Amino acid sequence: MRNAASDLLSRAWRRLFPARSPNGLRVPVLPSGGGSWRVRARRLPIILEWIALVLFVVALCRPQWSRYTREVQADAVDIMLALDISPSMLSRDFRPDRLQVAKNVLIEFVQNRPYDRLGLVAFAAEAFTQCPLTTDRRVVQQYLSALEVGRLRDGTAIGMGLATAVHRLRKSAARSKVVVLVTDGENNDGYISPMQAAGFAREHGIRVYAVGIGTEGIVLSPSSRGADGSYDFAPRAMSFDTELLKKMADTTGGKFYRAYSPQDLQDIYATIDRLEKTKIKIASVRQTVELGPWLILVGIALLLPAQIGKRYLGLGNAGFFDF
């Protein structure tokens, strides 16, 4: 192929540049014309032939265009986040408070789960679904950021929060179904007890990772609420029902974690992230397209007007493709 291309270029060069100028440079021999536009037009057919020649030579080199496609098959996990938004979550043993730290770490946790479906439940004395299961991480993160204390009646209904999350997961066909429940206090409200909710989770094959956040003892915490909705803070003795949360987690095959500091909370979520890791299968497919035939077709398409132009302008054999 290389010899054929070389012979073709040599023949074209000799036919197009047969003479030398006095200073030794090769110049093409073109018939004289009648007008300036005609002189300029005589160059066009030869230019088209040169372009076609280049395309034919390139086509002999068999250029190819390759495209890789990446197919991801993920054995995903469905995860509902249940977050306590009772007033005690504003306690300031965490900076700026427990709720803000919990939200920040959960947002990072969501970011690290690109192939899973995640949802969000908020609870205080009652519970509601803030975000149903979705693969859109940004939506979940936005809803997390928007959560505030005071949207629900004061109190802590851990059983209601867990039951609402279980309700969202019970019909899921995912390989693994998980509730990550974050609270800082004792159950003191709600018509569904925490152990009843844990029993519902076990029936539907849902594991509960219960996370207790905050320190015990005297903590600067909301003591009363003003008419404008703001909270007054005062030192208060805080208690925590560790045994209840541990029993809930054990009932469902999950685990209980205690977070005394923001770093503890980050470590806990990193551990849960490893325990519930999504299995991912990635396949790469290569698609190759031969560009040579297309270049030849373009070259032929350029030769046709070039030949017509040579006949019309009376160039004779000034070029090197004569039909």
Side-chain angles (χ1 to χ4, degrees):
M1 289 186 180
R2 291 181 179 177
N3 292 336
S6 177
D7 293 342
L8 183 59
L9 285 171
S10 299
R11 185 172 68 87
W13 186 271
R14 288 194 301 270
R15 294 190 61 183
L16 192 57
F17 299 104
R20 289 182 180 270
S21 63
N23 59 4
L25 296 177
R26 293 182 181 272
V27 295
V29 177
L30 298 174
S32 60
S36 60
W37 71 269
R38 195 177 182 88
V39 173
R40 289 193 296 270
R42 288 190 184 116
R43 301 178 182 272
L44 184 58
I46 300 177
I47 292 173
L48 293 177
E49 287 188 342
W50 266 106
I51 295 174
L53 176 62
V54 171
L55 292 176
F56 293 152
V57 172
V58 173
L60 291 175
C61 299
R62 290 195 62 194
Q64 296 176 336
W65 176 71
S66 297
R67 183 181 69 177
Y68 287 89
T69 58
R70 189 168 179 259
E71 298 179 356
V72 177
Q73 296 179 344
D75 195 1
V77 181
D78 279 357
I79 302 173
M80 286 299 298
L81 309 173
L83 181 59
D84 188 346
I85 58 169
S86 62
S88 60
M89 287 291 287
L90 295 178
S91 297
R92 294 175 178 173
D93 50 346
F94 284 44
R95 297 292 181 187
D97 54 54
R98 295 174 180 177
L99 180 60
Q100 190 59 53
V101 171
K103 291 196 300 183
N104 291 342
V105 180
L106 278 173
I107 287 171
E108 184 178 351
F109 176 81
V110 170
Q111 185 63 33
N112 294 330
R113 312 293 301 194
Y115 303 108
D116 298 322
R117 292 198 305 168
L118 296 107
L120 177 62
V121 167
F123 67 93
E126 48 199 351
F128 71 97
T129 302
Q130 176 81 335
C131 178
L133 288 169
T134 178
T135 57
D136 193 332
R137 290 174 294 165
R138 289 186 179 180
V139 170
V140 180
Q141 291 170 327
Q142 288 171 359
Y143 277 123
L144 271 168
S145 298
L147 279 180
E148 295 179 350
V149 171
R151 297 181 61 179
L152 299 173
R153 184 167 51 87
D154 289 356
T156 305
I158 297 174
M160 296 293 292
L162 177 56
T164 303
V166 170
H167 176 71
R168 287 292 178 178
L169 286 171
R170 62 189 179 90
K171 293 184 178 180
S172 168
R175 173 187 63 87
S176 183
K177 296 178 283 188
V178 172
V179 174
V180 179
L181 185 144
V182 183
T183 184
D184 71 338
E186 299 175 321
N187 186 75
N188 57 26
D189 212 325
Y191 57 85
I192 299 177
S193 72
M195 290 311 301
Q196 281 181 307
F200 298 153
R202 181 180 58 191
E203 290 175 9
H204 294 287
I206 300 169
R207 285 188 299 281
V208 176
Y209 292 98
V211 181
I213 180 174
T215 58
E216 298 182 65
I218 304 301
V219 177
L220 190 62
S221 182
S223 58
S224 62
R225 189 175 186 181
D228 61 352
S230 63
Y231 288 93
D232 296 322
F233 288 78
R236 294 179 59 198
M238 303 294 291
S239 58
F240 200 91
D241 197 343
T242 300
E243 290 302 318
L244 174 62
L245 292 177
K246 187 176 186 305
K247 191 174 180 181
M248 290 170 60
D250 291 342
T251 298
T252 64
K255 289 189 176 183
F256 166 70
Y257 300 93
R258 190 75 170 89
Y260 295 96
S261 68
Q263 185 59 51
D264 289 343
L265 199 57
Q266 288 182 334
D267 294 341
I268 289 167
Y269 285 131
T271 301
I272 296 173
D273 186 60
R274 289 192 297 270
L275 289 174
E276 296 295 337
K277 205 63 181 177
T278 300
K279 294 182 180 179
I280 303 170
K281 298 178 182 178
I282 300 176
S284 296
V285 180
R286 178 181 178 181
Q287 296 176 328
T288 303
V289 178
E290 292 283 350
L291 299 179
W294 295 100
L295 295 176
I296 292 174
L297 287 176
V298 174
I300 293 174
L302 293 176
L303 286 178
L304 291 176
Q307 292 297 311
I308 294 173
K310 286 167 63 176
R311 299 290 188 272
Y312 178 75
L313 296 171
L315 294 178
N317 63 347
F320 43 87
F321 289 106
D322 293 316
F323 296 161

